[in-house]
Amino acid sequence: MPMQPWFTEAKLGIFVHYGIYSVDGVPESWSLYTGRLSHEQYMKQLEGFTASRYDARAWARLFARAGAKYAVLTARHHDGVALWDTAHGALDVVRRTPASRDLVAEYTQALRREGLKVGLYYSHSDWSHPDYASVTHPEPPNDSVATHPLVTPADGVDDPAAWARYVAYRDAQVGELVSRFAPDLLWFDGEWERSEEQWGMRALSEQILAEHPQTVLNARMLSYGDYATPEQGVPLRQPAGPWELCLTVNESWGYQPQDQAHKSVSQLVRYFAETIAMGGNLLLAVGPREDGTFLPEQVERLEGLGDWIAKHAEAVHTTVAGLPAGHHYGPSTLSADRRTLYLICFDPPRETVSLRGLRNAVRRVSVVGTGTPLGHRVTGGLGEVPGVLWIDAPAPADVDGQATVLAVELEGELDLYRGTGRD
């Protein structure tokens, strides 16, 4: 199926890692996998998970304020603890924690009330399920997958019947999410621990799309995913097809109180601008505390990014990837009609901003957010090789504290010279 247009137009999503791991502020599921906590210690967090101040409507308003068009919530991480009222498996926050609430239902309703698309994260793997460590990966990607007791049978002997039970459980839980919540996006994870055939990815994809054909699937559905999901670093080259950069506000996915390395608003604006300039979305991760509230530092970052997006909306929404590297020293976007370039300048421009290789005549240049027009001229050029467009630097009053954006209105659709110059 063709990609759903809303996804490529969204630009920003919010990734929420919320679960019992926020009680002790430990790495989500991984503190169980690495042995930092025993299974008993890890699951004792069920007793302290209250969600006592969880307000899905406040979440949705904050995400909209940040400029996001969708969000993704960890409906079930690798630890196997479901955040919704599931009829499959013995672990969910409705029955096993003081929260006693279907958090996914509230989240889904709140997002839709704010006009946001609903994304749900679900891990193929479940390190708590009794039937999970029942088969071996035919080509393990690393030693851990080949030997870890939460992943692989201790005796190395496969139990196909147990694995069939596990896949049926996985499919039933995904079926609940689709039938009950009709998610716009399913964000899978954990796929590296089994092969595509073992996971039954084709059958799972067909099951999802038969129920809700508009659901977008991420790349952790392997051959049946719709878009790529690089993590924690902007690619140096634009990935082929739709994609999304998954990035944490600090260094942790979930709530970890010792992690105070929050990226500044300016840094987040840079990540965001560089991502949309290559045609991707930014999926920005925040981790609520166990009571359901976000740290003030994370709220401040979301609101700051939202302020920048709101001021520069025309350079963000209804745009596509901008110029290839070398034409402008910074990221850029291009209007959908390909007649306006948006040049993003992270540092205050000095004297001029240059643009190389532009064949088009320029109708007007202005500062996005203030509308102030800027002088511009072309120098040089010979034959088919265009000259350099020089744009006067904006006055200090027009310089944005995070990143200044210049709108270059063109005569006709963008026409770039990509050659090597005259011999």
Side-chain angles (χ1 to χ4, degrees), residues 3 11-12 24 32 55 92 107 265 270 310 321 328 347 374:
M3 188 56 160
K11 310 303 182 187
L12 179 67
D24 290 344
L32 172 63
D55 183 346
D92 68 68
Y107 157 88
V265 174
R270 288 193 180 218
H328 161 61
D347 300 313
L374 299 176

Side-chain angles (χ1 to χ4, degrees), residues 56-111:
R57 295 191 67 177
W59 281 20
R61 288 192 293 267
L62 175 61
F63 301 162
R65 168 88 164 76
K69 300 300 182 184
Y70 66 108
V72 177
L73 172 65
T74 49
R76 202 216 69 188
H77 210 268
H78 313 310
D79 59 12
V81 181
L83 299 191
W84 77 98
D85 184 7
T86 179
H88 305 281
L91 275 175
D92 68 68
V93 299
V94 180
R95 296 170 181 82
R96 298 289 302 277
T97 76
S100 301
R101 300 160 64 182
D102 189 321
L103 305 181
V104 174
E106 295 179 41
Y107 157 88
T108 301
Q109 293 165 6
L111 257 61

